[in-house]
Amino acid sequence: MKPADIKFIGISHTHPRSHRQRRNVSDRADSYQKAEYDFYFAPWKEGILKPPSDTRPTFLKDHPVKLVQEDLDVFGDGSVMLVLTAGHTPGHHRASCI
């Protein structure tokens, strides 16, 4: 498989160590939970929980994205699901395949 073969990228969460390789297919839209995307680009203020120090933006807000709310049936047949598993970060999700 080559980067050009990839059509869909589901990002589990916004910590850079968890999505560094997406730069190899930088023209593809990333799928994020809306809560995670909003958390990543939030204007942080004193007194509000700040993200870990390694979460500085590694891509720009104008990168193409598909915002997901809750679970997503990727192909519409139940074979691949992005399942909301918030906790590690506000919009963390995992892929589930059958």
Coordinates of all heavy atoms in Angstrom, one line a residue:
M1 N 0.8 -1.2 0.0 CA 0.0 0.0 0.0 C 0.9 1.2 0.0 O 1.9 1.3 0.7 CB -0.9 0.0 1.2 CG -1.8 1.1 1.3 SD -3.0 0.9 2.7 CE -4.5 1.1 1.9
K2 N 0.5 2.2 -0.8 CA 1.2 3.5 -0.9 C 0.3 4.6 -0.3 O -0.9 4.5 -0.3 CB 1.6 3.8 -2.4 CG 2.5 2.8 -3.0 CD 2.7 3.1 -4.4 CE 2.2 1.9 -5.2 NZ 1.9 2.0 -6.6
P3 N 1.0 5.7 0.1 CA 0.1 6.8 0.6 C -1.0 7.2 -0.4 O -2.1 7.6 0.0 CB 1.2 7.9 0.8 CG 2.4 7.2 1.1 CD 2.4 6.0 0.2
A4 N -0.7 7.1 -1.7 CA -1.8 7.5 -2.7 C -3.0 6.6 -2.6 O -4.1 7.0 -3.1 CB -1.2 7.5 -4.1
D5 N -2.8 5.4 -2.1 CA -4.0 4.5 -2.0 C -4.9 4.8 -0.8 O -6.0 4.3 -0.8 CB -3.5 3.0 -1.7 CG -2.6 2.5 -2.8 OD1 -2.9 2.9 -4.0 OD2 -1.7 1.8 -2.6
I6 N -4.5 5.7 0.1 CA -5.3 6.0 1.2 C -6.4 7.1 0.9 O -6.0 8.1 0.3 CB -4.4 6.5 2.4 CG1 -3.5 5.4 2.8 CG2 -5.3 7.0 3.6 CD1 -2.4 5.8 3.8
K7 N -7.6 6.7 1.2 CA -8.7 7.7 0.8 C -9.3 8.3 2.1 O -10.0 9.3 2.0 CB -9.8 6.9 0.1 CG -9.3 6.1 -1.1 CD -8.8 7.0 -2.2 CE -8.4 6.3 -3.4 NZ -7.1 6.7 -4.0
F8 N -9.1 7.7 3.2 CA -9.8 8.2 4.5 C -8.8 8.0 5.6 O -8.2 7.0 5.8 CB -11.0 7.3 4.7 CG -11.8 7.6 5.9 CD1 -12.8 8.6 5.9 CD2 -11.6 7.0 7.1 CE1 -13.5 8.9 7.0 CE2 -12.3 7.3 8.2 CZ -13.3 8.2 8.2
I9 N -8.8 9.1 6.5 CA -7.9 9.0 7.6 C -8.8 9.4 8.9 O -9.3 10.5 8.9 CB -6.7 10.0 7.5 CG1 -5.9 9.7 6.3 CG2 -5.9 10.0 8.8 CD1 -4.8 10.7 6.0
G10 N -8.9 8.5 9.8 CA -9.5 8.7 11.1 C -8.5 9.0 12.1 O -7.7 8.1 12.5
I11 N -8.5 10.2 12.7 CA -7.5 10.5 13.7 C -8.1 10.2 15.1 O -9.1 10.8 15.4 CB -7.1 12.0 13.6 CG1 -6.5 12.3 12.2 CG2 -6.1 12.4 14.7 CD1 -5.3 11.6 11.8
S12 N -7.4 9.4 15.9 CA -8.0 9.0 17.2 C -8.1 10.2 18.1 O -9.0 10.4 18.9 CB -7.2 7.9 17.8 OG -5.8 8.3 18.1
H13 N -7.0 11.0 18.2 CA -7.0 12.2 19.0 C -5.8 13.1 18.6 O -5.1 12.8 17.7 CB -6.9 11.8 20.5 CG -5.6 11.1 20.9 ND1 -5.2 9.9 20.4 CD2 -4.7 11.5 21.8 CE1 -4.1 9.5 21.0 NE2 -3.7 10.5 21.8
T14 N -5.7 14.3 19.2 CA -4.9 15.3 18.7 C -3.4 15.4 19.2 O -2.7 16.3 18.9 CB -5.5 16.7 18.9 OG1 -5.8 16.9 20.3 CG2 -6.8 16.8 18.0
H15 N -3.0 14.4 20.0 CA -1.6 14.5 20.5 C -0.7 14.2 19.3 O -0.9 13.2 18.6 CB -1.4 13.5 21.6 CG -2.1 13.8 22.9 ND1 -2.2 12.9 23.9 CD2 -2.7 14.9 23.3 CE1 -2.9 13.5 24.9 NE2 -3.2 14.7 24.5
P16 N 0.2 15.0 19.0 CA 1.1 14.9 17.8 C 1.7 13.5 17.6 O 1.7 13.0 16.5 CB 2.1 15.9 17.9 CG 1.5 17.0 18.7 CD 0.6 16.3 19.7
R17 N 2.1 12.9 18.7 CA 2.7 11.5 18.6 C 1.7 10.5 18.1 O 2.1 9.4 17.6 CB 3.3 11.1 19.9 CG 2.3 10.8 21.0 CD 2.9 10.5 22.3 NE 1.9 10.4 23.3 CZ 1.4 11.4 24.0 NH1 1.9 12.6 23.8 NH2 0.5 11.3 24.9
S18 N 0.4 10.9 18.1 CA -0.6 9.9 17.7 C -1.1 10.1 16.2 O -1.8 9.4 15.7 CB -1.9 10.0 18.6 OG -1.5 9.7 19.9
H19 N -0.6 11.2 15.6 CA -1.0 11.4 14.2 C 0.1 12.0 13.3 O -0.1 12.6 12.3 CB -2.2 12.3 14.1 CG -2.1 13.7 14.6 ND1 -1.7 14.7 13.7 CD2 -2.3 14.2 15.8 CE1 -1.7 15.8 14.4 NE2 -2.1 15.6 15.6
R20 N 1.4 11.8 13.7 CA 2.5 12.4 12.9 C 2.6 11.9 11.5 O 2.9 12.6 10.6 CB 3.8 12.1 13.6 CG 4.1 13.1 14.7 CD 5.5 13.0 15.2 NE 5.7 13.9 16.3 CZ 5.9 13.5 17.5 NH1 6.0 12.2 17.8 NH2 6.0 14.4 18.5
Q21 N 2.2 10.6 11.3 CA 2.4 10.0 9.9 C 1.4 10.5 8.9 O 1.5 10.3 7.8 CB 2.3 8.5 10.0 CG 3.5 7.9 10.8 CD 4.8 8.3 10.2 OE1 5.0 8.3 9.0 NE2 5.7 8.7 11.1
R22 N 0.3 11.2 9.4 CA -0.7 11.8 8.5 C 0.0 12.7 7.5 O -0.6 13.0 6.4 CB -1.8 12.4 9.2 CG -1.5 13.6 10.1 CD -2.6 14.4 10.4 NE -3.1 15.2 9.3 CZ -2.4 16.2 8.7 NH1 -1.2 16.6 9.2 NH2 -2.9 16.8 7.7
R23 N 1.1 13.3 7.9 CA 1.7 14.3 6.9 C 2.2 13.6 5.6 O 2.4 14.2 4.6 CB 2.9 15.0 7.6 CG 4.1 14.1 7.9 CD 5.2 14.9 8.6 NE 6.0 14.0 9.3 CZ 6.3 14.0 10.6 NH1 5.7 15.0 11.3 NH2 7.1 13.2 11.2
N24 N 2.3 12.3 5.6 CA 2.7 11.5 4.4 C 1.5 11.5 3.4 O 1.7 11.2 2.3 CB 3.1 10.1 4.8 CG 4.4 10.1 5.5 OD1 5.2 10.9 5.4 ND2 4.5 9.1 6.4
V25 N 0.3 11.8 3.9 CA -0.9 11.9 3.0 C -1.6 13.2 3.3 O -2.8 13.2 3.5 CB -1.8 10.6 3.2 CG1 -1.2 9.4 2.5 CG2 -2.1 10.4 4.6
S26 N -0.9 14.3 3.3 CA -1.4 15.5 3.8 C -2.5 16.1 3.0 O -3.2 17.0 3.5 CB -0.2 16.6 3.8 OG 0.3 16.8 2.5
D27 N -2.8 15.6 1.8 CA -3.9 16.2 1.0 C -5.2 15.5 1.3 O -6.2 15.9 0.8 CB -3.6 16.1 -0.5 CG -3.4 14.7 -1.0 OD1 -3.0 13.8 -0.2 OD2 -3.6 14.4 -2.2
R28 N -5.2 14.4 2.1 CA -6.5 13.7 2.5 C -7.1 14.4 3.6 O -6.5 15.0 4.5 CB -6.2 12.3 2.9 CG -5.4 11.5 1.9 CD -6.1 11.4 0.5 NE -5.5 10.4 -0.4 CZ -4.4 10.7 -1.1 NH1 -3.8 11.8 -1.0 NH2 -3.9 9.8 -1.9
A29 N -8.4 14.4 3.7 CA -9.2 14.9 4.8 C -9.1 14.0 6.0 O -9.1 12.8 5.9 CB -10.7 15.1 4.4
D30 N -8.8 14.6 7.2 CA -8.8 13.9 8.4 C -10.2 13.9 9.0 O -10.9 14.8 8.9 CB -7.9 14.5 9.4 CG -6.4 14.6 9.0 OD1 -6.0 13.7 8.1 OD2 -5.7 15.4 9.5
S31 N -10.5 12.8 9.7 CA -11.8 12.7 10.4 C -11.5 12.8 11.9 O -10.7 12.1 12.5 CB -12.4 11.4 10.1 OG -13.6 11.2 10.9
Y32 N -12.1 13.8 12.5 CA -12.0 14.1 13.9 C -13.4 14.2 14.5 O -14.3 14.6 13.9 CB -11.3 15.5 14.2 CG -9.9 15.6 14.0 CD1 -9.3 16.0 12.8 CD2 -9.0 15.2 15.0 CE1 -8.0 16.1 12.6 CE2 -7.6 15.3 14.8 CZ -7.1 15.8 13.6 OH -5.8 15.9 13.5
Q33 N -13.4 13.8 15.8 CA -14.6 14.2 16.6 C -14.7 15.7 16.7 O -13.6 16.3 16.9 CB -14.6 13.5 17.9 CG -14.8 12.0 17.9 CD -16.2 11.6 17.6 OE1 -17.2 12.4 17.8 NE2 -16.3 10.4 17.0
K34 N -15.8 16.3 16.5 CA -15.9 17.8 16.6 C -15.4 18.3 18.0 O -14.7 19.2 18.0 CB -17.3 18.2 16.4 CG -17.5 19.7 16.5 CD -18.9 20.2 16.2 CE -19.0 21.7 16.2 NZ -18.3 22.5 17.1
A35 N -15.7 17.5 19.1 CA -15.2 17.9 20.4 C -13.7 17.9 20.4 O -13.0 18.8 21.1 CB -15.7 17.0 21.5
E36 N -13.0 17.0 19.7 CA -11.6 16.9 19.7 C -11.0 18.1 18.9 O -10.0 18.7 19.3 CB -11.1 15.6 19.1 CG -9.6 15.3 19.2 CD -9.1 15.1 20.6 OE1 -9.9 15.0 21.6 OE2 -7.9 15.1 20.8
Y37 N -11.6 18.3 17.8 CA -11.1 19.4 16.9 C -11.2 20.8 17.6 O -10.3 21.6 17.6 CB -11.9 19.4 15.6 CG -11.4 20.3 14.5 CD1 -10.4 20.0 13.7 CD2 -12.1 21.5 14.3 CE1 -9.9 20.8 12.7 CE2 -11.6 22.4 13.3 CZ -10.5 22.0 12.5 OH -10.1 22.9 11.5
D38 N -12.4 21.0 18.3 CA -12.6 22.2 19.0 C -11.5 22.3 20.1 O -11.0 23.4 20.4 CB -14.0 22.3 19.5 CG -15.0 22.5 18.5 OD1 -14.7 22.8 17.3 OD2 -16.2 22.3 18.8
F39 N -11.3 21.2 20.8 CA -10.3 21.2 21.9 C -8.9 21.6 21.4 O -8.2 22.3 22.0 CB -10.3 19.8 22.5 CG -9.2 19.5 23.6 CD1 -9.3 20.1 24.8 CD2 -8.2 18.7 23.3 CE1 -8.4 19.8 25.8 CE2 -7.2 18.4 24.2 CZ -7.3 19.0 25.5
Y40 N -8.5 21.0 20.3 CA -7.2 21.2 19.7 C -7.0 22.7 19.3 O -5.9 23.2 19.6 CB -7.1 20.4 18.4 CG -5.7 20.3 17.8 CD1 -4.7 19.6 18.4 CD2 -5.5 20.9 16.6 CE1 -3.4 19.6 17.8 CE2 -4.3 20.9 16.0 CZ -3.2 20.2 16.6 OH -2.0 20.1 16.0
F41 N -8.0 23.4 18.8 CA -7.8 24.7 18.4 C -8.4 25.8 19.4 O -8.5 26.9 19.0 CB -8.4 24.9 17.0 CG -7.6 24.3 15.9 CD1 -8.1 23.2 15.2 CD2 -6.4 24.8 15.5 CE1 -7.4 22.6 14.2 CE2 -5.7 24.2 14.5 CZ -6.2 23.1 13.8
A42 N -8.7 25.3 20.6 CA -9.3 26.2 21.6 C -8.3 27.4 22.0 O -7.1 27.1 22.1 CB -9.7 25.5 22.8
P43 N -8.9 28.5 22.2 CA -8.1 29.6 22.7 C -7.9 29.4 24.2 O -8.7 29.8 25.0 CB -8.9 30.9 22.4 CG -10.3 30.4 22.4 CD -10.2 29.0 21.9
W44 N -6.8 28.8 24.7 CA -6.6 28.4 26.1 C -6.4 29.7 26.9 O -5.8 30.6 26.6 CB -5.4 27.5 26.2 CG -5.7 26.3 25.4 CD1 -5.2 25.9 24.2 CD2 -6.6 25.2 25.8 NE1 -5.8 24.7 23.8 CE2 -6.6 24.3 24.8 CE3 -7.3 25.0 26.9 CZ2 -7.3 23.1 24.8 CZ3 -8.1 23.9 27.0 CH2 -8.1 22.9 26.0
K45 N -7.0 29.6 28.1 CA -7.0 30.7 29.1 C -6.5 30.2 30.4 O -6.7 29.0 30.7 CB -8.4 31.3 29.3 CG -8.9 31.9 28.0 CD -10.3 32.4 28.1 CE -10.8 32.9 26.8 NZ -12.2 33.3 26.8
E46 N -6.0 31.1 31.3 CA -5.6 30.7 32.6 C -6.8 30.1 33.4 O -7.9 30.6 33.3 CB -5.0 31.9 33.4 CG -3.7 32.3 32.9 CD -2.6 31.2 32.9 OE1 -2.5 30.5 33.9 OE2 -1.9 31.1 31.8
G47 N -6.5 29.1 34.2 CA -7.5 28.4 35.0 C -8.3 27.4 34.2 O -9.1 26.7 34.9
I48 N -8.1 27.2 33.0 CA -8.8 26.1 32.2 C -7.7 25.1 31.9 O -6.6 25.3 31.6 CB -9.3 26.7 30.9 CG1 -10.4 27.7 31.2 CG2 -9.9 25.6 30.0 CD1 -11.0 28.4 30.0
L49 N -8.2 23.8 32.0 CA -7.3 22.7 31.7 C -6.5 22.9 30.4 O -7.2 23.2 29.3 CB -8.1 21.4 31.6 CG -7.3 20.2 31.2 CD1 -6.3 19.8 32.3 CD2 -8.2 19.0 30.9
K50 N -5.2 22.9 30.4 CA -4.4 23.0 29.2 C -4.0 21.7 28.7 O -3.8 20.8 29.5 CB -3.2 23.9 29.5 CG -3.6 25.3 29.8 CD -2.4 26.2 29.9 CE -2.8 27.6 30.1 NZ -1.7 28.6 30.1
P51 N -3.9 21.5 27.4 CA -3.5 20.2 26.8 C -2.0 20.0 27.1 O -1.3 20.9 27.5 CB -3.7 20.4 25.3 CG -3.5 21.9 25.1 CD -4.1 22.5 26.3
P52 N -1.6 18.7 27.0 CA -0.2 18.4 27.3 C 0.7 19.2 26.4 O 0.3 19.7 25.3 CB -0.1 16.9 26.9 CG -1.4 16.4 27.0 CD -2.4 17.5 26.7
S53 N 2.0 19.5 26.8 CA 2.9 20.4 26.2 C 3.2 20.0 24.7 O 3.7 20.8 24.0 CB 4.2 20.6 27.0 OG 4.8 19.3 27.1
D54 N 3.0 18.7 24.4 CA 3.4 18.3 23.0 C 2.2 18.5 22.0 O 2.3 17.9 20.9 CB 3.9 16.9 23.0 CG 2.8 15.8 23.3 OD1 1.8 16.2 23.7 OD2 3.1 14.7 23.0
T55 N 1.2 19.2 22.4 CA 0.0 19.3 21.5 C 0.0 20.6 20.6 O -1.0 21.0 20.2 CB -1.3 19.2 22.2 OG1 -1.4 20.2 23.2 CG2 -1.4 17.8 22.8
R56 N 1.2 21.2 20.5 CA 1.2 22.4 19.6 C 0.7 22.0 18.2 O 1.0 20.9 17.8 CB 2.6 23.0 19.6 CG 3.6 22.1 19.0 CD 5.0 22.7 19.3 NE 6.0 21.8 18.8 CZ 6.4 20.6 19.4 NH1 5.8 20.3 20.5 NH2 7.3 19.8 18.9
P57 N 0.0 22.9 17.5 CA -0.5 22.5 16.2 C 0.6 22.0 15.3 O 1.6 22.5 15.1 CB -1.1 23.8 15.7 CG -1.5 24.6 16.9 CD -0.4 24.2 17.9
T58 N 0.3 20.8 14.7 CA 1.2 20.2 13.7 C 0.6 20.3 12.3 O 1.2 19.8 11.4 CB 1.6 18.8 14.1 OG1 0.4 18.1 14.2 CG2 2.3 18.7 15.4
F59 N -0.6 20.9 12.2 CA -1.2 21.2 10.9 C -2.1 22.4 11.1 O -2.4 22.8 12.2 CB -2.0 20.0 10.4 CG -3.1 19.6 11.2 CD1 -4.4 20.0 11.0 CD2 -3.0 18.7 12.3 CE1 -5.5 19.6 11.7 CE2 -4.1 18.3 13.1 CZ -5.3 18.8 12.8
L60 N -2.4 23.0 10.0 CA -3.2 24.2 10.0 C -4.7 24.0 10.1 O -5.2 23.0 9.6 CB -2.8 25.1 8.8 CG -1.3 25.4 8.7 CD1 -1.1 26.1 7.3 CD2 -0.9 26.3 9.8
K61 N -5.4 25.0 10.6 CA -6.8 24.9 10.7 C -7.5 24.8 9.3 O -8.6 24.2 9.2 CB -7.4 26.1 11.5 CG -8.8 25.8 12.0 CD -9.2 26.9 13.0 CE -10.5 26.5 13.5 NZ -10.9 27.3 14.7
D62 N -6.9 25.2 8.3 CA -7.5 25.1 6.9 C -7.2 23.8 6.3 O -7.6 23.5 5.1 CB -7.0 26.3 6.0 CG -5.5 26.3 5.8 OD1 -4.8 25.5 6.4 OD2 -5.1 27.1 4.9
H63 N -6.5 22.8 6.9 CA -6.4 21.4 6.4 C -7.8 20.8 6.3 O -8.6 21.0 7.1 CB -5.5 20.6 7.4 CG -5.3 19.2 6.9 ND1 -4.3 18.9 6.0 CD2 -6.0 18.1 7.1 CE1 -4.4 17.6 5.7 NE2 -5.4 17.1 6.4
P64 N -8.1 20.1 5.2 CA -9.4 19.5 5.1 C -9.7 18.5 6.2 O -8.9 17.7 6.5 CB -9.4 18.8 3.7 CG -7.9 18.7 3.3 CD -7.2 19.7 4.1
V65 N -10.9 18.7 6.7 CA -11.4 17.8 7.8 C -12.8 17.4 7.6 O -13.6 18.1 6.9 CB -11.2 18.4 9.2 CG1 -9.8 18.7 9.6 CG2 -12.1 19.6 9.4
K66 N -13.2 16.2 8.2 CA -14.6 15.8 8.3 C -14.8 15.7 9.8 O -14.2 14.9 10.5 CB -14.8 14.4 7.6 CG -16.2 13.9 7.8 CD -16.4 12.6 7.1 CE -17.9 12.2 7.3 NZ -18.2 11.0 6.5
L67 N -15.7 16.6 10.3 CA -16.0 16.6 11.7 C -17.1 15.6 12.0 O -18.2 15.6 11.3 CB -16.4 18.0 12.2 CG -15.2 19.0 12.1 CD1 -15.7 20.3 12.6 CD2 -14.0 18.5 12.8
V68 N -16.9 14.7 13.0 CA -17.8 13.7 13.3 C -18.4 14.0 14.7 O -17.7 14.5 15.6 CB -17.0 12.3 13.4 CG1 -17.9 11.2 13.9 CG2 -16.4 12.0 12.1
Q69 N -19.6 13.7 14.9 CA -20.2 13.8 16.3 C -20.7 12.4 16.6 O -21.6 11.9 16.0 CB -21.3 14.8 16.3 CG -20.7 16.2 16.0 CD -21.7 17.3 16.5 OE1 -22.4 17.2 17.4 NE2 -21.7 18.4 15.7
E70 N -20.2 11.9 17.7 CA -20.5 10.5 18.2 C -19.8 9.5 17.3 O -18.7 9.7 16.9 CB -22.0 10.3 18.3 CG -22.8 11.3 19.2 CD -22.4 11.3 20.6 OE1 -22.1 10.2 21.1 OE2 -22.3 12.3 21.3
D71 N -20.5 8.4 17.0 CA -19.9 7.3 16.2 C -20.2 7.5 14.7 O -21.1 8.2 14.3 CB -20.6 6.0 16.6 CG -20.3 5.6 18.1 OD1 -19.5 6.3 18.7 OD2 -21.0 4.7 18.6
L72 N -19.3 6.9 13.9 CA -19.4 7.1 12.5 C -19.3 5.7 11.8 O -18.3 5.0 12.1 CB -18.3 8.0 11.9 CG -18.2 8.1 10.4 CD1 -19.4 8.7 9.8 CD2 -16.9 8.8 10.0
D73 N -20.2 5.3 11.0 CA -20.2 4.1 10.2 C -19.5 4.5 8.9 O -20.1 5.1 8.1 CB -21.6 3.5 10.0 CG -21.6 2.2 9.3 OD1 -20.6 1.8 8.7 OD2 -22.7 1.6 9.2
V74 N -18.2 4.2 8.8 CA -17.4 4.7 7.7 C -17.9 4.4 6.4 O -18.0 5.2 5.5 CB -15.9 4.2 7.9 CG1 -15.0 4.7 6.7 CG2 -15.3 4.8 9.2
F75 N -18.2 3.1 6.1 CA -18.7 2.7 4.8 C -20.2 2.4 4.7 O -20.7 2.0 3.7 CB -17.9 1.4 4.4 CG -16.4 1.6 4.3 CD1 -15.6 0.9 5.2 CD2 -15.9 2.5 3.4 CE1 -14.2 1.1 5.2 CE2 -14.5 2.6 3.4 CZ -13.7 2.0 4.3
G76 N -20.9 2.7 5.8 CA -22.4 2.5 5.8 C -22.8 1.1 5.9 O -24.0 0.8 5.8
D77 N -21.9 0.1 6.2 CA -22.3 -1.3 6.3 C -21.9 -1.9 7.6 O -22.0 -3.1 7.8 CB -21.7 -2.1 5.1 CG -20.2 -2.1 5.1 OD1 -19.6 -1.5 6.1 OD2 -19.6 -2.7 4.2
G78 N -21.5 -1.1 8.6 CA -21.1 -1.7 9.9 C -19.7 -2.3 9.9 O -19.3 -2.8 11.0
S79 N -19.0 -2.4 8.8 CA -17.7 -3.1 8.8 C -16.6 -2.3 9.5 O -15.7 -2.9 10.0 CB -17.3 -3.4 7.3 OG -17.1 -2.3 6.6
V80 N -16.6 -1.0 9.4 CA -15.6 -0.1 10.1 C -16.4 1.0 10.7 O -17.1 1.8 10.1 CB -14.6 0.5 9.1 CG1 -13.6 1.4 9.8 CG2 -13.9 -0.7 8.4
M81 N -16.2 1.1 12.0 CA -16.8 2.1 12.8 C -15.8 3.0 13.5 O -14.8 2.5 14.0 CB -17.7 1.5 13.9 CG -18.9 0.7 13.4 SD -20.2 1.6 12.6 CE -20.8 2.6 14.0
L82 N -16.0 4.3 13.6 CA -15.2 5.1 14.5 C -16.1 5.3 15.7 O -17.3 5.9 15.6 CB -14.9 6.5 13.8 CG -14.0 6.4 12.6 CD1 -13.7 7.9 12.1 CD2 -12.7 5.8 13.0
V83 N -15.7 4.9 16.8 CA -16.5 4.9 18.1 C -15.9 5.9 19.0 O -14.7 5.9 19.4 CB -16.5 3.4 18.7 CG1 -17.3 3.4 19.9 CG2 -17.0 2.4 17.7
L84 N -16.8 6.8 19.5 CA -16.4 7.8 20.4 C -16.0 7.2 21.8 O -16.7 6.4 22.3 CB -17.5 8.8 20.7 CG -17.3 9.9 21.7 CD1 -16.2 10.8 21.3 CD2 -18.6 10.7 21.9
T85 N -14.8 7.4 22.2 CA -14.2 6.9 23.5 C -13.6 8.0 24.3 O -12.5 7.9 24.7 CB -13.2 5.7 23.2 OG1 -12.2 6.2 22.4 CG2 -13.9 4.5 22.6
A86 N -14.3 9.1 24.4 CA -13.8 10.3 25.1 C -13.3 9.9 26.5 O -13.8 9.0 27.1 CB -14.9 11.4 25.2
G87 N -12.3 10.6 26.9 CA -11.7 10.3 28.2 C -10.2 10.7 28.2 O -9.8 11.6 28.9
H88 N -9.4 10.1 27.3 CA -8.0 10.4 27.2 C -7.9 11.9 26.7 O -7.1 12.6 27.2 CB -7.4 9.5 26.2 CG -5.9 9.7 25.9 ND1 -5.0 9.7 26.9 CD2 -5.2 10.0 24.8 CE1 -3.8 10.0 26.4 NE2 -3.9 10.2 25.1
T89 N -8.8 12.2 25.8 CA -9.0 13.6 25.4 C -10.5 13.8 25.1 O -11.2 12.8 25.0 CB -8.2 13.9 24.1 OG1 -8.6 13.1 23.0 CG2 -6.7 13.8 24.2
P90 N -11.0 15.0 25.0 CA -12.4 15.2 24.9 C -13.1 14.5 23.7 O -14.3 14.2 23.8 CB -12.6 16.7 24.8 CG -11.3 17.3 25.4 CD -10.3 16.3 25.1
G91 N -12.4 14.3 22.6 CA -13.1 13.7 21.5 C -12.3 12.5 21.0 O -12.4 12.2 19.8
H92 N -11.7 11.8 21.8 CA -10.9 10.6 21.4 C -11.9 9.6 20.8 O -13.0 9.4 21.3 CB -10.3 10.0 22.7 CG -9.4 8.9 22.4 ND1 -9.8 7.6 22.3 CD2 -8.0 8.8 22.3 CE1 -8.7 6.8 22.0 NE2 -7.7 7.5 22.0
H93 N -11.5 8.9 19.7 CA -12.3 7.9 19.2 C -11.4 6.7 18.7 O -10.2 6.9 18.5 CB -13.3 8.3 18.1 CG -12.7 8.9 16.8 ND1 -13.4 9.8 16.1 CD2 -11.6 8.6 16.2 CE1 -12.7 10.1 15.0 NE2 -11.5 9.4 15.0
R94 N -11.9 5.6 18.6 CA -11.2 4.4 18.1 C -11.9 3.8 16.9 O -13.1 3.9 16.8 CB -11.2 3.3 19.2 CG -10.5 3.7 20.5 CD -9.3 2.8 20.7 NE -8.6 3.1 21.9 CZ -7.4 3.4 22.0 NH1 -6.6 3.3 21.0 NH2 -6.8 3.6 23.2
A95 N -11.1 3.1 16.1 CA -11.7 2.4 15.0 C -12.1 1.0 15.5 O -11.3 0.3 16.2 CB -10.7 2.3 13.8
S96 N -13.2 0.5 15.0 CA -13.7 -0.9 15.3 C -14.0 -1.5 14.0 O -14.8 -1.0 13.2 CB -14.9 -0.8 16.2 OG -15.4 -2.1 16.4
C97 N -13.4 -2.7 13.7 CA -13.6 -3.3 12.4 C -14.2 -4.7 12.7 O -13.8 -5.4 13.6 CB -12.3 -3.5 11.7 SG -11.5 -1.9 11.4
I98 N -15.1 -5.2 11.7 CA -15.5 -6.6 11.8 C -15.1 -7.3 10.6 O -14.7 -6.8 9.6 CB -17.1 -6.7 11.9 CG1 -17.8 -6.0 10.8 CG2 -17.5 -6.1 13.2 CD1 -19.2 -6.3 10.7

